[in-house]
Amino acid sequence: IEATTLRSKSSILNSASNSTFADKTVADLAGRWDDFKFAPIRESQVSRAMTRRYFKDLDDYAESDIVIVGAGSCGLSTAYMIGKARPDLKIAIIEASVSPGGGAWLGGQLFSAMVMRKPADAFLREIDVPYEDEGDFVVEDWTVKHAALFTSTILSHVVSLPNVKLFNATCVEDLITRPHADGVRIAGVVTNWTLVSMHHDDQSCMDPNTINAPVIISTTGHDGPMGAFCVKRLVSMQRIEKLGGMRGLDMNVAEDAIVKGTREIVPGLIVGGMELSEVDGANRMGPTFGAMALSGVKAAEEALKIIDQ
Ligand code: AHZ
């Protein structure tokens, strides 16, 4: 219904809309390039088409049910699980980079295949990503042909959900807090366009925007130029004493620890994925992504417990 409505709206807007432009198939276009022409447009229509939707989304999602910070493999898995299970919840994903996906566009180093250890193969079946069974390996690996296949598939599921909005090129700069019996609870995020965030040292008066939500899920990855944002902020606001510091690589120990440890760290703030390693002093796992997917499944479960209590 929506697609039909969109099509008929564009037909009304387009004064020249008739059989010349309407509802062609690609096969109709092929081989007819001599008299080819796009439907006419006024530049302002393009501007309005983008800005109207974006500002409506900013307005709608200023009060969200859940904010997910970081759209890497863990954040996207979390968004998929909640967004699909609970169409009644409004979920905003804030991603600092222009391109969502975090470190999951390659399997590790500059190699394309992505490894997920059992039982995370269940997640691949859930989102319908084909994989190759490595069978007799000592550790049973399930290999996705290209990490981009996992990331593009989950991304397309997530951005298609009607109750999820991805704000990319947008950085979480701070946390909104409220007094709470345990100190403070987290009640939202402070955002800015990432290019603005990057220029706070040489430009003044670029005040941020805000999103209120009862549950924030932080999946900003391990410490680095961008990562571990929310947990580092918890330390600087003296809400947790110090970071545990991510430990060295141990695939066997690391993946279990990240999935099991995914939880509400302070009231209102759940931490998942590799950001958690900075809180708990957990090992890293390097290029195996099963823990990111299943940490997302657990983060979703923890979030719904808070929402439904
Ligand atoms: O751009 C970041 C990335 O896309 C985003 N991000 C970071 N800080 C942000 C902020 N506001 C908004 N302040 C922010 N977005 O968070 C995303 C994190 O994705 P990631 O892929 O780095 O983290 P992940 O925990 O989803 O996956 C970790 C993948 C790793 S790292 C690792 C190892 O080092 O051993 N092994 C695996 C599987």
Side-chain angles (χ1 to χ4, degrees), residues 213-225:
V215 180
I216 311 302
I217 305 173
S218 191
T219 62
T220 68
H222 59 67
D223 199 4

Side-chain angles (χ1 to χ4, degrees), residues 8-74:
S8 59
K9 268 191 192 155
S10 74
S11 311
I12 294 161
L13 276 175
N14 180 359
S15 54
S17 179
N18 52 36
S19 59
T20 321
F21 302 111
D23 293 333
K24 299 275 189 213
T25 65
V26 173
D28 292 336
L29 299 173
R32 300 189 181 174
W33 304 115
D34 286 347
D35 54 357
F36 173 81
K37 202 173 171 0
F38 275 108
I41 197 145
R42 192 165 170 76
E43 288 75 5
S44 58
Q45 281 179 278
V46 177
S47 298
R48 285 176 173 155
M50 294 186 294
T51 56
R52 190 192 316 125
R53 286 171 175 80
Y54 196 84
F55 287 105
K56 181 175 184 314
D57 286 337
L58 275 183
D59 184 354
D60 285 350
Y61 284 84
E63 279 288 351
S64 292
D65 296 299
I66 294 182
V67 173
I68 297 172
V69 189
S73 44
C74 183

